[in-house]
Amino acid sequence: MHTDLVAALDIGGTKIAGALVDRGGRILVRAQRPTPARQDGDTVMRAVEEVIGELIASPLWSRADAVGIGSAGPVDASTGTVSPVNVPGWRDYPLVARVRAVTGGLPVELIGDGVAITAAEHWQGAARGHDNALCMVVSTGVGGGLVLDGRLHAGPTGNAGHIGHISVDLDGDPCPCGARGCVERIASGPHIARRALEAGWRPGPDGDTSAAAVAAAARAGDPVAVASFERAAQALAAGIAATATLVEIDIAVIGGGVGKAGDVLFTPLRKSLADYATLSFVQRLTVVPARMGTDAGLVGAAAAVLGRRADAAAAGV
Amino acid sequence: MHTDLVAALDIGGTKIAGALVDRGGRILVRAQRPTPARQDGDTVMRAVEEVIGELIASPLWSRADAVGIGSAGPVDASTGTVSPVNVPGWRDYPLVARVRAVTGGLPVELIGDGVAITAAEHWQGAARGHDNALCMVVSTGVGGGLVLDGRLHAGPTGNAGHIGHISVDLDGDPCPCGARGCVERIASGPHIARRALEAGWRPGPDGDTSAAAVAAAARAGDPVAVASFERAAQALAAGIAATATLVEIDIAVIGGGVGKAGDVLFTPLRKSLADYATLSFVQRLTVVPARMGTDAGLVGAAAAVLGRRADAAAAGV
């Protein structure tokens, strides 16, 4: 049988998306369900099964020979389980075994959602052509993933690149993860908005207190809004510089809602990066906005499977 | 001709060591010179040439078919040049080309000294059997290297693992590197001693104000000395946790003079690590003292060459 497609799943706290993807990264069939995030684990799994069921119903399904899953984390690729923070019904949930059962035993590759986004940006987006890259999502949370030596570095459990929870302020504010001064605790959208409000910024007549509203105020010259983005940029710069210093990346790609703020974020970010990325071998580091859209998670999950297969072929497996 | 040895060079600010090393990591021939660190570049190179000359004079030289160099950094493996902070006469110095010329055109592999130590600990020391490890030297400075997916991760320029210059305190004290709050700025031996002295600790009758003397005072219960080690441990923990969160390591190995302080360092370090390594996939992380002795740099430089050759063989090159 001719198998030239892979199935991809993108599992988040809001939606569960599925697709059949070809070797060029084109999405040929799609399915989607809202995530019943507050319900029990089996109910969440039924939503996943409905998505997969739609894909199986496609005449193209017989051409798919593997499944890639990008899931909200933490995940554990070594055990095939997931424990997404925003899906409390899934704790050490055996997602890989369940998906394998539903798909008639197809091989399943599990990675974290930050790693999936990274695979997509490396394959088709802003990190294309870069052998050493950090890709980030700066939004309600801060996630990420790494490409090292030209290949996705997912780590043994599929969580590598978790830059949102590295501490850049060891005496800083407590983070829900248990540590202090994490990048996410300073640079996420909600914290950009919180800091602006605490410093006296007030929303317009529409009452919008999102980070996007703070970004609009910053573009209009509001100094408190500008300062809140500068602080976020400083934390992102310290985290990106730390990553470059540890593993030698030459590009950092920033997506997510905060990543869309444009110059309000990128101008102070590039300035702060010069302050923290000081050693000779990290000074060439550039930082750019993400290019992939909302399909990044699906495309990346497919890329992870295809990349693993290419590695196996290269190793003669 | 039977070639079963490699030549290794360990180039630091104090000494230049060379050796012929066999595939088991045994040192068969040694040579050493003090580093004329304050003299011009050619004078430093002459000391390297003398070390190599002694190796060439050995009847075993004909069995060596490659050279591994671990050098004080920064290095640039991509251009074959070095710019060691403590050897001002060498700036973008073409060390690889010079060594190749002196050795009759043997292939030369260049890595940073932290990467070399890591190669040695992974081959024969405390990181043996671990596929994902951070190895550190905590001494006058703080350096390190990474093993990822079972292989040394030197990075494109040979400097990866430079944990001493990641910021864990983004508003902290200025570091000579230009950034603020670097791990080295808090956790190096001189800063452990400085902090103790500033807080009122006084040396004994021998006047010894080294970190080793502070460690002895801490072991005797001096609360100021204890506190200075606790602060160093906190910074190391934040840096190690950041590394684990970014690339998924399961062991951190700590060598160097400060690493020899024993429980005075490791007890607060393990406690702080629990505070910063909070995500599920990094909680299994352990931290242990280094096992390799003063030959680690030479053994690691040899390991880097042998490992590269093994990779090439596996890839069918």
Side-chain angles (χ1 to χ4, degrees):
Chain A
M1 190 186 307
H2 187 50
T3 53
D4 58 348
L5 305 181
V6 294
L9 292 173
D10 176 16
I11 299 181
T14 306
K15 66 176 170 62
I16 296 163
L20 295 177
V21 183
D22 74 11
R23 274 147 212 261
R26 282 175 295 271
I27 291 178
L28 305 182
V29 179
R30 293 175 182 272
Q32 188 168 312
R33 291 287 184 285
T35 307
R38 297 290 137 192
Q39 301 194 43
D40 64 279
D42 287 343
T43 304
V44 182
M45 188 64 214
R46 270 197 296 278
V48 174
E49 288 168 354
E50 287 175 22
V51 168
I52 295 172
E54 278 194 37
L55 300 180
I56 290 177
S58 160
L60 298 181
W61 173 258
S62 62
R63 288 164 54 189
D65 65 351
V67 184
I69 307 176
S71 172
V75 303
D76 189 342
S78 68
T79 57
T81 60
V82 299
S83 311
V85 174
N86 296 322
V87 185
W90 275 2
R91 285 296 170 269
D92 298 321
Y93 191 82
L95 180 61
V96 167
R98 296 293 171 94
V99 169
R100 194 180 289 130
V102 177
T103 58
L106 289 186
V108 177
E109 175 95 7
L110 170 66
I111 53 177
D113 51 5
V115 177
I117 297 284
T118 301
E121 290 288 342
H122 185 233
W123 192 17
Q124 302 192 336
R128 191 171 175 173
H130 289 269
D131 280 348
N132 296 279
L134 166 69
C135 299
M136 302 175 65
V137 178
V138 185
S139 175
T140 310
V142 175
L146 291 166
V147 172
L148 301 179
D149 289 340
R151 299 190 307 182
L152 197 62
H153 180 77
T157 73
N159 290 291
H162 233 95
I163 189 171
H165 293 285
I166 72 171
S167 176
V168 289
D169 187 9
L170 79 176
D171 302 313
D173 293 325
C175 180
C177 77
R180 288 181 174 274
C182 292
V183 170
E184 177 173 302
R185 182 65 180 75
I186 303 173
S188 75
H191 285 293
I192 289 171
R194 172 191 57 75
R195 197 166 39 238
L197 285 164
E198 286 174 4
W201 173 77
R202 291 293 168 261
D206 61 359
D208 182 357
T209 58
S210 68
V214 179
R219 271 189 290 275
D222 182 304
V224 170
V226 167
S228 188
F229 266 90
E230 285 174 346
R231 182 65 173 170
Q234 187 189 2
L236 291 171
I240 293 167
T243 306
T245 303
L246 282 169
V247 295
E248 293 202 21
I249 54 165
D250 56 29
I251 190 169
V253 176
I254 302 191
V258 174
K260 293 197 181 80
D263 288 347
V264 165
L265 178 70
F266 281 89
T267 301
L269 177 51
R270 291 189 177 113
K271 185 171 168 298
S272 278
L273 207 51
D275 293 338
Y276 292 99
T278 56
L279 301 186
S280 57
F281 66 96
V282 298
Q283 289 171 4
R284 286 162 288 192
L285 178 63
T286 57
V287 57
V288 300
R291 283 202 203 138
M292 300 296 291
T294 50
D295 287 336
L298 285 170
V299 173
V305 175
L306 295 165
R308 173 63 61 104
R309 192 150 47 189
D311 284 351
V317 174
Chain B
M1 191 187 306
H2 187 51
T3 53
D4 57 349
L5 305 181
V6 295
L9 292 172
D10 176 16
I11 299 182
T14 307
K15 66 178 170 61
I16 296 163
L20 295 176
V21 183
D22 73 11
R23 275 148 210 260
R26 280 173 296 269
I27 292 177
L28 305 182
V29 179
R30 297 174 179 273
Q32 188 168 313
R33 290 288 183 284
T35 306
R38 297 290 136 193
Q39 301 194 43
D40 65 280
D42 288 342
T43 303
V44 181
M45 188 63 213
R46 269 198 297 279
V48 174
E49 288 168 355
E50 287 175 22
V51 168
I52 296 172
E54 277 195 35
L55 301 179
I56 290 176
S58 159
L60 298 180
W61 173 258
S62 62
R63 286 164 54 189
D65 64 351
V67 184
I69 307 176
S71 172
V75 303
D76 188 342
S78 68
T79 56
T81 59
V82 299
S83 310
V85 174
N86 296 321
V87 185
W90 276 3
R91 285 296 170 269
D92 298 322
Y93 191 83
L95 180 62
V96 167
R98 296 294 171 93
V99 169
R100 195 179 289 130
V102 177
T103 58
L106 289 187
V108 177
E109 175 94 7
L110 171 67
I111 53 177
D113 50 5
V115 176
I117 297 284
T118 301
E121 290 288 342
H122 185 234
W123 192 17
Q124 304 193 333
R128 191 171 174 172
H130 290 267
D131 279 349
N132 296 279
L134 165 69
C135 299
M136 302 175 64
V137 177
V138 185
S139 175
T140 310
V142 175
L146 291 166
V147 172
L148 301 178
D149 290 339
R151 298 190 308 183
L152 198 62
H153 180 76
T157 72
N159 289 291
H162 233 95
I163 190 171
H165 292 285
I166 72 170
S167 176
V168 289
D169 186 8
L170 80 176
D171 301 314
D173 293 325
C175 181
C177 78
R180 286 181 175 274
C182 292
V183 169
E184 178 173 302
R185 183 64 180 74
I186 303 173
S188 74
H191 284 294
I192 290 171
R194 173 193 56 75
R195 198 164 39 236
L197 284 164
E198 286 174 3
W201 172 75
R202 291 293 168 262
D206 61 357
D208 181 358
T209 58
S210 69
V214 179
R219 272 191 289 275
D222 182 304
V224 170
V226 167
S228 189
F229 267 90
E230 284 174 346
R231 182 65 172 170
Q234 186 189 4
L236 291 171
I240 293 168
T243 307
T245 303
L246 282 169
V247 295
E248 294 203 19
I249 54 164
D250 56 29
I251 190 169
V253 175
I254 303 190
V258 174
K260 292 198 181 81
D263 289 346
V264 164
L265 177 71
F266 281 89
T267 300
L269 177 52
R270 292 188 176 114
K271 184 170 169 298
S272 279
L273 206 52
D275 294 338
Y276 292 99
T278 58
L279 301 186
S280 57
F281 65 96
V282 298
Q283 290 172 3
R284 286 161 288 192
L285 178 62
T286 56
V287 56
V288 299
R291 283 203 204 136
M292 301 295 291
T294 49
D295 286 336
L298 284 170
V299 172
V305 174
L306 294 166
R308 174 62 62 102
R309 191 149 49 186
D311 285 352
V317 176

